[in-house]
Structure formats: C-alpha cells, structure tokens
Amino acid sequence: LIYDLKDQGGEECSLRYDLTVPFARYVAQKSISNIKRYHLAKVYRRDQPAITKGRMREFYQCDYDIAGIYDAMIPDVECVRVAVDVLRRLDVGGFVVKVNHRKILDAIFEVSGVPQEKVRAISSAVDKLDKAPWMEVRREMTQEKGLEEAVADRIGQYVQISGPGEEVLAKLRALPELMASAKAQEGIKDMGLFFRYAAIYGILDYVSFDMSLARGLDYYTGIIYEAVLVEENVRLPTAPESSAKKGKGDAVDESQIRVGSIAAGGRYDELVGMFSSVMHAKGKKTDVPCVGISFGVERIFSIVKSRRSEAEIKANRTQVYVISLGDTLTDSLLEDRMRIAAELWDAGIAAEFAYKVKPRPQAQYDACDSAIIPWAVIIGKDEIGQGTVKIKNMAQKVEEEKGGVTVPRTNMIAELKQRLQMN
C-alpha cells in the first residue's frame, strides 16, 4: 500500500504511509528520550479509493503520540481519553472505542496452534469480524489461508468475546489454556490497569474490550484501539449520487456501506529502536517506548458535515458585520464603517464590512446572512449625527428588536461583548 518512487538520480523514495513511522524515525534521529506531540499532515495510500466510505489515496491525518519510559498504561489510557474528548466535542454521533492487546492476541494464536508463518494472515482475517460474520471469516481462514479447521474453531472461541472491560477480563481469566501463556498474563495485567484508569478518567461507557480487534500493522506491541461509529450506516456527503458498485446480480449501493474506523492507534515500543540501530555507527539499538492515536481528519469532517444542514455550517469566525444604510448614490459612510470595524478589531471582536464605497443595503444583509454572521452594527446619517449605532441580532429574528437596538456609540463594545457572551 506504499507508493514507491525513484528520484532523478534513481534513489528509491516513497510517499509517507502514516505519521507514526516518520515520528519514530525523528525520535531516533534526534536521540529524544521523551516527548508528547500532535501532528497534522497529509499521508498517501496506494489503495482502491472508496469516496463514500471516506477512503482516499491522499488524505489528512492528525496524530497524538507520547514517547518515553513511563509506568504501565498511564500514557495509553490518556491517548484513549484524548480520542473520546475529541470525538465528543466534534459531535460525530454515537461511537465506541474498541480495545485489545497484541500480547493477548498473540497468545490466542499460540495456544490455538496457528503456525508462525500464518500469524499475520490469520490476524488480518480476524480483523474483519466487525464487517463479516464468524462463519465467513472462518471460511477465509480455512479455505483461503490454509488453516486447519480445528485450529480455526479454537480461535473462534476466543475472538468472538467482547463487551465491558471487567466482564471480558473475567472470562479470559477463567480460561486455563490461555492463562497458561506468559504473554496472555502480561496482556491481561495491562488491560486490568487500563480499565481501572479508564474508570478514573470517566470513559468506560465509551470503551469495549473486543478480542477480534487485531490492527494490521506489525509494529504494535501492546494495547491497540480503534474508534468506530455505532450507527450501522452513515452516508457521507462526498458520495456522488451515481457511485454504486455493480457486481454479479443486483447493484450494491456503495453509499450505504459503513464508514469504518475514524481513529485508531496503539503501543509501539520497538519502532524507534529499529531506526536507532540503523542510524548509530555501532548499530546500537535504543528503544523508546511509544503510544499514540491517529484521527482520520477528512473522514471525521465528512461525518460531521453529514450530521448538519448547510445552513448550520459556518465557514468563518466573524461575529459582527458593519452595515451602512442610506442613499447609495449620495451616502457613502465607508470611512465610518472602517472606523467602527477598527474599533471592533481593537476590542478583539471579529468583524467585517462590505468592500464597496456605496454598497446596497440588501447586498450587505445578504452577505451577513450567507456568512452566518450573528450580529450586525447598523449606521446611517442619523446614527452618525446622534453618536449612536443600532445592534441587530441576525441569527434570531427577535420581534421587539426587529430594526435593531439603538445604543450610544460609546457603549457599543460593551453591549456587543455582553450579547456575544449570552450566545
């Protein structure tokens, strides 16, 4: 899925697949022992695009990572808390953060008898359980991946377990074959801490312990997590009306396919060490444990946009529009509008006005409405002569304030700040 390229000199290059690997390389290159950072940038995937599911070849990701040696699960649970906070504030709708542990998953494959050379392929198949029923995944394991049926059945006993953290932990601890694995014991101990800390952070209601979560990337070494919408079907506004995939028989409306994950990540303790061993002259490997989460920016934007009407989406931060009324042939009032705008800017209030010497009144009202600017300061010759302005609520049509409220020019800033706080 990586775009491989060559420059003019024939040197092999590639477009970055994610922001995690470049971050690990930077930490190794600069010999950083601890850092907390976020990064918003473009990444590229040589994948089959599915616009209706928010999957594109070029898109933005936002990563939040914590690198350094800390006590178990403290930074890990913070990353999930950050994800929950972000998704709640963006109002993406109902969501759940699925969590699992790679050590537990590795132990499951080990005790089930999966050959080492098939672990990656079987892990990829297990990861499809959120989109396909178990029997379909089992068929892929046995018929396409060549796994023995008895081994697949043993895996199925484990990976179909999901639910609240403490319930799943209790079920896992009651499985003697699994608990005989040192890896499983380490993973379950970590997850016990995670759910204890998650309760303190008040995010348990958003988290589900899902044994089918595998995450395809090899560099994960501990906890893994993925945020998904709980709504079964979410149509994104980027989907063209004609975007339907036709197969054998009936056409499949791709716009009704689930969006999938909107954020994901996990712990990757050995990635920095892989780069440090290459960069240092003596080949010394210096591991810096890391954990982080990545948000699919455009996918989240599409979801947020789909939940709102066009009228609710405000593309600017302007709070006040300065309007002048009068005869457009004789009355300019441009300089008065400029003075008021400057006064508003000096007070920290985002304001705009028409860039015309003699704008038509209706054109100014239309500009205010189309930009969804909530307040207007209105002036005319009478207001200028009397040292007053009219303040009008443009967002709510208040009957008693239909033409605006007249206030002294000297009180304009204080009045606007009070009204802006009320909103």
Side-chain angles (χ1 to χ4, degrees):
L1 296 177
I2 297 175
Y3 276 107
D4 294 320
L5 310 167
K6 286 186 179 180
D7 63 13
Q8 290 90 334
E11 184 176 355
E12 292 186 353
C13 307
S14 63
L15 297 178
R16 63 183 169 204
Y17 177 87
D18 61 15
L19 302 179
T20 305
V21 173
F23 170 66
R25 184 172 182 268
Y26 175 80
V27 171
Q29 189 176 32
K30 301 297 182 182
S31 299
I32 296 170
S33 59
N34 59 76
I35 185 175
K36 182 191 291 189
R37 77 87 164 90
Y38 73 91
H39 184 191
L40 179 66
K42 279 186 178 181
V43 296
Y44 305 85
R45 303 281 167 88
R46 189 168 55 83
D47 196 2
Q48 290 300 321
I51 295 175
T52 55
K53 293 192 288 183
R55 184 194 301 150
M56 291 167 276
R57 289 177 172 172
E58 178 186 42
F59 55 95
Y60 280 95
Q61 281 189 341
C62 180
D63 279 23
Y64 173 80
D65 293 271
I66 302 172
I69 300 174
Y70 303 104
D71 288 342
M73 306 311 290
I74 298 173
D76 308 63
V77 75
E78 180 178 312
C79 286
V80 177
R81 169 65 197 243
V82 167
V84 170
D85 279 353
V86 167
L87 297 177
R88 279 193 305 199
R89 293 189 187 191
L90 291 175
D91 190 24
V92 297
F95 67 91
V96 63
V97 181
K98 298 180 182 181
V99 298
N100 199 0
H101 202 291
R102 282 305 286 260
K103 289 183 178 179
I104 300 176
L105 202 58
D106 289 344
I108 288 173
F109 294 149
E110 187 178 289
V111 302
S112 297
V114 179
Q116 187 59 40
E117 66 273 12
K118 292 184 182 293
V119 166
R120 182 171 182 178
I122 299 305
S123 177
S124 176
V126 167
D127 208 30
K128 297 176 183 177
L129 275 172
D130 65 330
K131 300 181 277 291
W134 163 246
M135 291 308 296
E136 189 174 322
V137 172
R138 182 184 183 278
R139 183 196 59 76
E140 180 181 336
M141 288 181 178
T142 56
Q143 297 182 21
E144 297 179 22
K145 313 289 187 184
L147 193 67
E148 294 180 13
E149 291 188 357
V151 175
D153 289 338
R154 284 195 291 271
I155 293 172
Q157 294 174 4
Y158 297 109
V159 298
Q160 295 183 80
I161 299 172
S162 66
E166 291 302 328
E167 289 183 18
V168 172
L169 285 171
K171 290 179 181 178
L172 297 178
R173 289 174 181 140
L175 299 171
E177 304 88 357
L178 185 64
M179 293 306 296
S181 167
K183 286 182 181 179
Q185 292 175 21
E186 291 175 15
I188 289 171
K189 181 181 177 182
D190 278 350
M191 295 309 292
L193 275 176
F194 173 83
F195 285 109
R196 180 179 173 183
Y197 298 154
I200 294 171
Y201 280 162
I203 58 174
L204 276 182
D205 290 344
Y206 296 92
V207 177
S208 172
F209 196 172
D210 192 330
M211 300 306 300
S212 70
L213 180 64
R215 301 289 298 145
L217 297 172
D218 289 341
Y219 52 63
Y220 289 122
T221 58
I223 189 172
I224 49 178
Y225 32 77
E226 183 176 80
V228 297
L229 296 182
V230 297
E231 300 160 16
E232 282 300 312
N233 296 301
V234 178
R235 177 170 180 165
L236 301 186
T238 51
E241 291 298 322
S242 60
S243 64
K245 286 186 177 178
K246 294 184 179 180
K248 297 178 181 179
D250 295 337
V252 177
D253 184 2
E254 189 188 344
S255 66
Q256 295 305 313
I257 298 175
R258 288 193 309 157
V259 172
S261 68
I262 50 179
R267 174 159 287 279
Y268 50 104
D269 287 346
E270 299 172 2
L271 193 56
V272 173
M274 184 186 75
F275 285 110
S276 66
S277 64
V278 174
M279 292 176 179
H280 296 152
K282 296 181 180 179
K284 182 181 177 182
K285 182 179 179 182
T286 306
D287 283 328
V288 179
C290 301
V291 65
I293 189 158
S294 177
F295 298 91
V297 175
E298 276 142 328
R299 188 171 288 191
I300 291 173
F301 275 14
S302 295
I303 292 165
V304 172
K305 188 175 180 181
S306 72
R307 291 174 55 81
R308 299 184 181 182
S309 67
E310 291 291 336
E312 295 177 307
I313 300 173
K314 182 173 167 62
N316 59 75
R317 300 184 66 183
T318 308
Q319 298 166 298
V320 177
Y321 198 86
V322 183
I323 296 174
S324 62
L325 302 180
D327 188 339
T328 57
L329 296 177
T330 58
D331 301 329
S332 167
L333 303 183
L334 170 62
E335 294 182 6
D336 296 287
R337 282 184 282 132
M338 295 173 73
R339 290 189 189 96
I340 291 174
E343 196 174 332
L344 293 170
W345 295 336
D346 290 342
I349 298 174
E352 287 188 20
F353 60 93
Y355 294 164
K356 283 184 172 290
V357 175
K358 297 177 180 179
R360 293 184 297 106
Q362 190 57 49
Q364 296 175 84
Y365 283 118
D366 291 344
C368 189
D369 287 337
S370 64
I372 320 178
I373 300 172
W375 295 94
V377 170
I378 303 171
I379 57 171
K381 274 193 170 182
D382 291 343
E383 284 75 21
I384 297 299
Q386 297 167 9
T388 62
V389 297
K390 286 184 178 179
I391 297 176
K392 181 176 173 61
N393 188 334
M394 301 296 290
Q396 301 170 355
K397 307 303 180 184
V398 183
E399 188 62 33
E400 54 269 25
E401 298 181 5
K402 192 172 182 180
V405 177
T406 300
V407 299
R409 171 73 176 273
T410 52
N411 293 349
M412 176 183 69
I413 298 297
E415 183 70 22
L416 276 171
K417 285 190 172 181
Q418 181 181 352
R419 289 172 178 260
L420 288 168
Q421 286 177 356
M422 288 170 58
N423 277 14

